[in-house]
Amino acid sequence: MFLTRFQINPARRNARKLLSSPHAMHAAVRAAFAAADDYARAGTRTLWRLDTPTTATVHLYLVSPGRPDLTHLVEQVGWPTSDEAWVTRDYDGLLTSLRPGQQWAFRLTANPTHSGRKTADAKETQRFGYLREHEQMAWLVGRADRHGFAVASQQDGRPNLRLHRRQTQTFKRGMGTVTLTVATYDGILQVTEADAFRRALTGGIGHAKAYGCGLLTLAPAPGSP
Amino acid sequence: MSVLLLRLAGPLQSWGASSRFARRGTEVAPTKSGVIGLLAAAKGLRRTEPLTELLGLEFGVRLDQPGQLLRDFQTARSLDGRQSAPLTYRFYLSDAAFLAAVSGERELLHGLAQALARPRFPLYLGRRSCPPAGPISLGVHDDTLDDALTHWPWLAAKWHRRKLASTVRLEIIRDVRPGEPVTETVPDEPISFDPAHRQHTWRTVLRRHVDMTNDLAERAGVNGHDPLSLLGG
């Protein structure tokens, strides 16, 4: 597995298209892999996410089974003359070092949903996004266990979790319109089961993985050695 | 030198310095003329009476919780609906909290603190429709204006503090002393509140900052999440 960071130049004309439409970004990410095998393998797939650490800095993160070639993105939405157009690092070292009990700071952009019937007599069930903050928090806390981690607690007993960039995205897909509820989770987690956690890191969490949701990334937890 | 500390907090506040006509703005922080007027109201001075001793006070304010700007678009009409008043915009700060300090003679400040506890006229935060939430006076202290504004505990609400980082930079706006470089001037030095002949002159102000540690900050690292740091940069 590989973790890749690519910096998008938002002043480029094509950047507007990619940043506004996860559908277009999905196609651009898919085009980074010549062999289908590098994009998706059994049990793993390519996940991506957009981060905005500061105003006008946009990072595209990718986790993929094979090494991506982002030349087309550099030409269209990057800085073609810069020396380091994108950074790819081997992810396996970190993945094999995961052990129960470890604490990590994490970030996850996800599509928190539940499915149900719109009315009591509706024939089909459909998927609804969770819009309220406490529901979105409960969504992640509730499914943390099956992904092999637990959200750490703060001093006051509430989960050490902060939500930001909660929004409803709408974009065109062909003739239709896709609507997604998206929230970014930041917090501290503790690994409980290494294998399930590894699957969550490489396979994603929740729905809309093609559209920039589900990628969980780790960073050193504050205060831990 | 003594200093009288004031807690200016309420659902709405509105502190105008330079508005004219139908668009009534608010500054980001309480104005000197607004606070002097509040003290004069507490003492029971009528608008036509001279302000005398209040004019010599030194004033500073710390922006503990900046609040949100609220715009009120008014379409007032006469009672029979035939005539309409000019359309006006009025601006307010909602959910803001400030620490204000006035410095001057000790006896004068003690008198003002007592007047704030039993005010002769109703007290309000810049505009009559903006009542304060809770007592205004935090008492008279033997301290300089700068030290009081720097060291007094942070007045922001818990829900506001939870949303911020673990160290927070608060802005202090205070009167310039002789010899200090002039940074800014605002038409905010009251001379008379006489409705027939209201007078203000220019006030020179200085902006500085004080760092507060925020023990309520939720520890999640919203800023600076760098997944590559685990993989060698």
Side-chain angles (χ1 to χ4, degrees), chain B residues 126-139:
Chain B
R127 197 173 276 167
R128 186 66 188 269
S129 57
C130 306
I136 286 183
S137 171
L138 296 171

Side-chain angles (χ1 to χ4, degrees), chain B residues 3-206:
Chain B
V3 59
L4 168 65
L5 293 177
L6 311 170
R7 175 180 172 273
L8 302 173
L12 290 179
Q13 317 194 16
S14 184
W15 304 96
S18 54
S19 305
R20 294 284 181 273
F21 313 117
R23 191 182 173 88
R24 314 302 299 189
T26 174
E27 304 294 307
V28 297
T31 56
K32 185 173 188 179
S33 57
V35 173
I36 297 289
L38 178 102
L39 296 172
K43 286 193 70 145
L45 286 176
R46 304 210 153 263
R47 281 182 177 265
T48 47
E49 289 177 57
L51 292 166
T52 55
E53 56 198 11
L54 294 179
L55 295 181
L57 293 172
E58 194 186 13
F59 177 71
V61 62
R62 191 177 75 194
L63 281 65
D64 280 20
Q65 182 176 326
Q68 282 205 319
L69 195 65
L70 182 110
R71 189 186 69 173
D72 178 26
F73 176 52
Q74 292 199 351
T75 58
R77 296 185 79 85
S78 60
L79 202 58
D80 59 3
R82 282 191 191 171
Q83 290 177 332
S84 69
L87 302 178
T88 65
Y89 294 95
R90 281 145 209 263
F91 289 83
Y92 299 85
L93 299 173
S94 61
D95 264 338
F98 302 99
L99 175 72
V102 287
S103 147
E105 291 301 318
R106 177 183 249 281
E107 292 74 35
L108 171 65
L109 295 183
H110 274 290
L112 289 173
Q114 279 171 11
L116 284 172
R118 297 182 66 83
R120 295 279 301 277
F121 294 127
L123 303 181
Y124 49 85
L125 305 174
R127 197 173 276 167
R128 186 66 188 269
S129 57
C130 306
I136 286 183
S137 171
L138 296 171
V140 180
H141 303 269
D142 283 321
D143 213 343
T144 64
L145 186 98
D146 273 320
D147 285 347
L149 285 178
T150 310
H151 298 306
W152 192 261
W154 194 14
L155 298 180
K158 279 185 180 167
W159 61 263
H160 178 71
R161 289 162 64 173
R162 281 200 197 101
K163 293 200 292 188
L164 298 176
S166 53
T167 56
V168 179
R169 177 153 282 203
L170 301 179
E171 189 170 21
I172 292 177
I173 304 174
R174 68 158 169 84
D175 289 346
V176 169
R177 306 203 180 97
E180 286 179 333
V182 173
T183 50
E184 225 176 305
T185 53
V186 274
D188 182 35
E189 188 79 48
I191 298 174
S192 164
F193 292 123
D194 187 342
H197 189 58
R198 195 178 288 204
Q199 268 186 295
H200 291 89
T201 179
W202 292 91
R203 171 185 171 221
T204 52
V205 299
L206 185 81

Side-chain angles (χ1 to χ4, degrees), chain A residues 3 5 61 89-90 94 104-107 154 158 160 162 164 186-187 217-220 222, chain B residues 162-165 215 217-233:
Chain A
L3 177 73
R5 181 174 66 198
Y61 283 103
R89 294 260 189 275
D90 203 331
L94 175 70
W104 300 104
F106 73 94
R107 176 171 290 175
Q154 292 172 163
R158 299 191 302 149
N160 194 331
R162 187 146 29 150
H164 55 122
D186 268 18
T217 54
L218 305 179
Chain B
R162 281 200 197 101
K163 293 200 292 188
L164 298 176
D215 47 353
E218 292 177 354
R219 268 189 32 217
V222 167
N223 300 314
H225 179 86
D226 184 10
L228 288 177
S229 61
L230 291 170
L231 308 170

Side-chain angles (χ1 to χ4, degrees), chain A residues 3-7 59-62 70 84-89, chain B residues 226-228 233:
Chain A
L3 177 73
T4 306
R5 181 174 66 198
F6 173 78
Q7 193 175 346
H59 285 148
L60 169 69
Y61 283 103
L62 285 180
L70 301 180
E84 200 176 58
W86 72 87
V87 195
T88 299
R89 294 260 189 275
Chain B
D226 184 10
L228 288 177

